[in-house]
């Protein structure tokens, strides 16, 4: 198959979540263009409406209006966060400073994900949390008057970091955090835009509540994690070229580009103008012969959402690729580490887990077999990409779950493919 066309991927999921949350606490009217309309984004909008925030419907090409209220209203009923870990964890940070009880829950996948790494420091700041089995959802949080926090994060997690920074915003207290590895910095960029102090000293990120949330206008760039799947499809094609326009190029989100480049992928970056402190530009991707590489723990932390896509590219690369220290993949929407290895083996690719490392050995044989997603959107999209290679016969059990982060993914993937021209 050949790849062709110029397309725009949906709005950045991380920035959409944060835009909605920041707008909710900025008294007045905020406008968000290009917002992601996925199930996860709708979960954030839904729970904010339960907390008294007026948000216009999310839809393709719609300008979203958020009527913020400075402080949340006590909700009636449980706050159902769907499949969205970002919604849950960031909202917990804000609720920690609100003096009412709220119960958060989610779907079966989200209820399995650990929350203690977020709730423990929030309790140290002054919130009260009653958690469900294994410290997961459903859980009840009672906010209170918060205390300053100095905390070393046990894992590299932008969700955890952002939750604690947002607790500092809502509670008006200082927060100092140390990360084991750098993670995406969308929250920090937005906070600086509102006058909050964020400084890095001696490996610690120091936040001071010097700013104020005001209504704003935001244009959300295309999500680089979504773009990665189309970059992967271009790399596996037999010919052609694909241009992805208006993609967010935040350096904390584009670590996958360095990895695919080292594997031999042909991806050109055309930088454009910044939007609200976020660099934006186009990606031009072409087919390439791929080779194996070694992905370091630091690189894994910077490309955690793209590992499923990188693993299926490794399945078509010459040699054995090792992804080191991928333990965080065990607590995503599924146990992605085990499930990726299982599915790769099922379709005929040599793959194994050694400790927290994932090893994938490439093959030229067409991938054939069923794929179990466990409702994980990134696994569904990754194997849809692998299913584009010649002779592939892959049956994904739940392709529709891609809508969690990328509405219309399968239609778009089909639209940019065409039969290869034979001499």
């Amino acid at each position: 198959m050949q790849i062709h066309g110029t397309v725009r991927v949906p709005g950045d999921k991380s920035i959409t979540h944060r835009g909605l949350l920041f707008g909710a606490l900025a008294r007045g009217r905020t406008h968000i263009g290009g917002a992601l309309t996925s199930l996860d984004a709708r979960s954030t909008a839904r729970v904010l409406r339960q907390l008294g925030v007026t948000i216009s419907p999310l839809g393709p090409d719609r300008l979203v209006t958020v009527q913020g209220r400075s402080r949340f209203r006590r909700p009636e009923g449980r706050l159902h966060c769907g499949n969205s870990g970002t919604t849950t964890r960031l909202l917990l940070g804000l609720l920690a400073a609100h003096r009412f009880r709220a119960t958060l829950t989610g779907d079966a996948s989200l209820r399995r994900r650990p929350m203690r790494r977020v709730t423990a420091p929030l309790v140290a700041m002054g919130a009260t949390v009653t958690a469900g089995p294994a410290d997961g959802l459903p859980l009840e949080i009672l906010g209170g008057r918060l205390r300053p926090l100095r905390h070393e994060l046990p894992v590299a997690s932008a969700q955890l970091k952002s939750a604690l920074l947002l607790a500092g915003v809502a509670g008006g207290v200082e927060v100092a955090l140390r990360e084991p590895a750098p993670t995406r910095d969308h929250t920090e960029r937005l906070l600086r835009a509102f006058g909050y102090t964020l400084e890095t000293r001696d490996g610690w990120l120091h936040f001071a509540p010097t700013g104020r949330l005001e209504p704003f206008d935001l244009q959300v760039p295309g999500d680089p994690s979504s773009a990665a799947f189309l970059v992967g499809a271009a790399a596996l094609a037999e010919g052609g070229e694909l241009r992805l326009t208006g993609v967010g190029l935040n350096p904390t989100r584009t670590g996958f580009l360095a990895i695919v480049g080292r594997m031999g992928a042909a991806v050109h970056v055309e930088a454009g103008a910044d939007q609200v402190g976020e660099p934006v530009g186009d990606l031009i991707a072409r087919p390439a012969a791929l080779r194996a590489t070694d992905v370091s723990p630091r690189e894994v932390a910077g490309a955690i959402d793209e590992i499923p896509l990188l693993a299926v590219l490794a399945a078509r690369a010459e040699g054995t690729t090792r992804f080191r220290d991928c333990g965080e993949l065990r607590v995503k929407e599924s146990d992605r580490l085990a499930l990726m290895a299982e599915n790769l083996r099922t379709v005929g690719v040599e793959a194994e887990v050694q400790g927290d490392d994932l090893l994938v050995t490439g093959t030229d044989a067409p991938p054939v077999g069923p794929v179990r997603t466990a409702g994980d959107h990134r696994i569904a999209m990754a194997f849809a990409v692998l299913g584009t290679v010649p002779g592939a016969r892959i049956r994904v059990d739940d392709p529709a779950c891609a809508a969690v982060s990328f509405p219309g993914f399968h239609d778009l993937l089909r639209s940019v493919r065409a039969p290869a021209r034979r001499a």
Side-chain angles (χ1 to χ4, degrees), residues 54-389:
T54 301
I55 301 176
S56 64
L58 276 63
D61 302 320
R62 283 185 176 177
L63 183 69
V64 178
T65 300
V66 181
Q67 187 68 43
R69 53 179 293 124
S70 298
R71 303 294 293 178
F72 292 148
R73 181 185 68 201
R74 183 194 307 270
E76 295 182 6
R78 292 184 170 192
L79 301 173
H80 199 296
C81 300
N83 187 247
S84 179
T86 304
T87 301
T88 308
R89 294 187 175 108
L90 271 60
L91 188 61
L92 282 170
L94 295 177
L95 290 174
H98 285 76
R99 299 187 185 187
F100 54 70
R101 296 181 188 276
T103 299
L104 283 71
T105 190
D107 66 10
S109 171
L110 186 59
R111 292 196 301 271
R112 290 192 298 267
R113 299 176 70 176
M115 294 295 157
R116 181 171 175 76
R117 61 181 58 165
V118 178
T119 59
L122 293 177
V123 169
M125 294 180 76
T128 301
V129 175
T130 304
D135 295 309
L137 301 182
L139 66 77
E140 180 185 85
I141 183 168
L142 170 62
R145 183 172 182 175
L146 300 187
R147 299 181 287 269
L149 176 72
R150 184 177 178 87
H151 182 67
E152 292 198 41
L153 276 62
V155 295
S157 168
Q159 291 180 5
L160 173 53
K161 174 180 64 174
S162 296
L164 301 179
L165 290 174
L166 291 179
V169 172
V173 297
E174 294 185 357
V175 174
L177 304 172
R178 184 198 288 272
E179 295 184 276
T183 59
R184 58 189 64 177
D185 65 354
H186 302 302
T187 300
E188 295 96 306
R189 288 173 183 257
L190 280 170
L191 288 174
R192 289 190 181 102
F194 290 105
Y196 290 94
T197 299
L198 287 111
E199 299 175 343
T200 301
R201 301 193 300 271
D202 301 323
W204 286 81
L205 175 65
H206 294 266
F207 164 83
T210 54
R212 177 183 174 86
L213 294 181
E214 301 283 355
F216 57 94
D217 292 336
L218 171 66
Q219 182 65 35
V220 180
D223 194 311
S225 295
S226 295
F229 292 96
L230 295 176
V231 167
L236 296 181
E238 297 176 284
E241 175 183 288
L242 182 65
R243 177 182 287 266
L244 306 172
T245 63
V247 178
L249 299 178
N250 183 313
T252 66
R253 294 290 305 284
T254 54
F256 76 93
L257 288 176
I259 299 170
V260 297
R262 203 163 63 238
M263 295 176 76
V267 185
H268 176 67
V269 178
E270 287 186 0
D274 284 10
Q275 297 177 11
V276 195
E278 295 280 351
V280 179
D282 293 359
L283 301 178
I284 300 94
R286 303 180 183 89
L290 301 178
R291 55 184 176 270
T293 190
D294 192 281
V295 184
S296 71
R298 192 177 185 88
E299 288 179 309
V300 166
I304 195 70
D305 286 339
E306 293 78 47
I307 298 301
L309 180 277
L310 294 169
V312 300
L313 293 184
R316 307 302 292 178
E318 182 180 357
T320 299
T321 296
R322 179 184 288 265
F323 300 90
R324 298 183 181 273
D325 198 10
C326 299
E328 185 65 10
L329 288 175
R330 297 187 188 278
V331 292
K332 289 294 186 178
E333 285 83 339
S334 65
D335 181 348
R336 280 185 187 156
L337 187 57
L339 201 50
M340 283 301 302
E342 172 193 318
N343 283 319
L344 286 168
R345 289 193 297 269
T346 298
V347 301
V349 179
E350 184 179 334
E352 64 175 313
V353 175
Q354 294 182 356
D356 283 339
D357 291 2
L358 174 63
L359 281 72
V360 181
T361 300
T363 177
D364 291 332
V368 176
V371 166
R372 183 171 65 89
T373 63
D376 191 319
H377 54 124
R378 299 201 191 277
I379 288 180
M381 290 188 287
F383 281 92
V385 169
L386 186 59
T388 64
V389 303

Side-chain angles (χ1 to χ4, degrees), residues 6-26:
T6 298
V7 298
R8 182 178 177 87
V9 297
D12 187 283
K13 185 157 78 85
S14 296
I15 296 176
T16 298
H17 282 303
R18 287 159 176 79
L20 292 170
L21 291 164
F22 277 59
L25 288 180

